Amino acid sequence: MIPICQFLFNLPLGSNQIPAFRGAVIRAMGDTVHPLMHNHEEGGYRFGYPLVQYKSVGGCAAIVAIGEVGDFLYEYFEAHQVLDLVVQKRKVACALTDADRSLYIPEIEDAPKYYSLTDYLPLTDKNVETYDSLMALTDKICFLEKILTGNILSFFKGIGYTSEQQIVPVVTSIERQHTIVYKKVHFRAFDLHFVSNVVLPDGIGLGKSTSIGMGSVKQEPLPEQFKHYLT
């Protein structure tokens, strides 16, 4: 079982302000900051799945922390209910409004699960041209499903879980394609739904830039037409 902690704050935060919030929290914690909060480790940058993810939830700042660092932050925010932050040169008192700690059991089940995935960034410089070259929508969806499978495997690797069972994500709809600008670079983002045999926790990220809120997962009620899809 893996602890997953979610922290909500009273600080209004747009998605374009998440990197500034991340930096402000790290600066405010100073010497007490956990290395995983800035995704570094001894020797340099940590390239694995980000175990601390900064988000905007309901228009307010939030942090999702997975594993040992989650327990560390749970204890930290119990002792520090208010953080004095400087976000984009503005001083703010950021108060904790809610904290939740749950235990996640990674599983692959026969029963299908239905998820929404928002602000998902699946495409890299290397594969965006391949995606655009595909003419049929069905081919584009299959391409995204392969990437999504890899993203789920990356999450599993990040939490130390391996399984011999096959992961099956099926994209059921693409609600929206839009552009997200980060550090003056334009990224193609997707809001979509998918069905899978994988149990995923709410709030974690999949795809690129999950440390700054991209690719948030949320389980939703399974539509009747999909209930026997994977069984």
Side-chain angles (χ1 to χ4, degrees), residues 19-178:
F21 170 66
R22 177 181 184 267
V25 171
I26 292 169
R27 288 192 300 271
M29 293 182 69
D31 293 340
T32 65
V33 71
H34 194 288
L36 291 177
M37 294 189 68
H38 44 63
N39 216 32
H40 284 73
E41 57 189 0
E42 186 176 349
Y45 186 78
R46 177 181 177 274
F47 288 97
Y49 179 84
L51 298 177
V52 178
Q53 300 168 12
Y54 303 80
K55 299 177 178 286
S56 177
V57 176
C60 288
I63 297 175
V64 173
I66 303 166
E68 177 185 314
V69 65
D71 285 336
F72 165 81
L73 284 178
Y74 202 86
E75 293 180 6
Y76 182 88
F77 288 129
E78 277 190 332
H80 303 80
Q81 294 285 312
V82 179
L83 294 177
D84 292 322
L85 304 182
V86 179
V87 181
Q88 296 177 325
K89 300 181 180 181
R90 181 170 59 95
K91 293 183 178 180
V92 294
C94 181
L96 183 70
T97 58
D98 189 36
D100 177 72
R101 181 184 185 275
S102 59
L103 294 175
Y104 166 62
I105 302 175
E107 292 180 294
I108 297 177
E109 301 179 343
D110 290 334
K113 308 290 185 295
Y114 184 61
Y115 299 99
S116 64
L117 184 56
T118 56
D119 291 338
Y120 176 47
L121 305 181
L123 302 177
T124 65
D125 291 340
K126 293 182 179 180
N127 63 22
V128 66
E129 290 184 4
T130 302
Y131 178 85
D132 286 340
S133 71
L134 299 171
M135 183 177 298
L137 179 58
T138 52
D139 291 340
K140 289 179 182 291
I141 289 176
C142 287
F143 191 75
L144 291 177
E145 288 171 348
K146 290 179 181 179
I147 296 172
L148 183 53
T149 299
N151 297 151
I152 294 171
L153 287 171
S154 177
F155 165 65
F156 279 164
K157 182 179 179 181
I159 62 174
Y161 174 72
T162 57
S163 174
E164 296 181 357
Q165 295 175 268
Q166 184 180 8
I167 294 172
V168 184
V170 177
V171 174
T172 59
S173 63
I174 297 176
E175 311 299 335
R176 182 171 71 121
Q177 292 188 47
H178 56 289

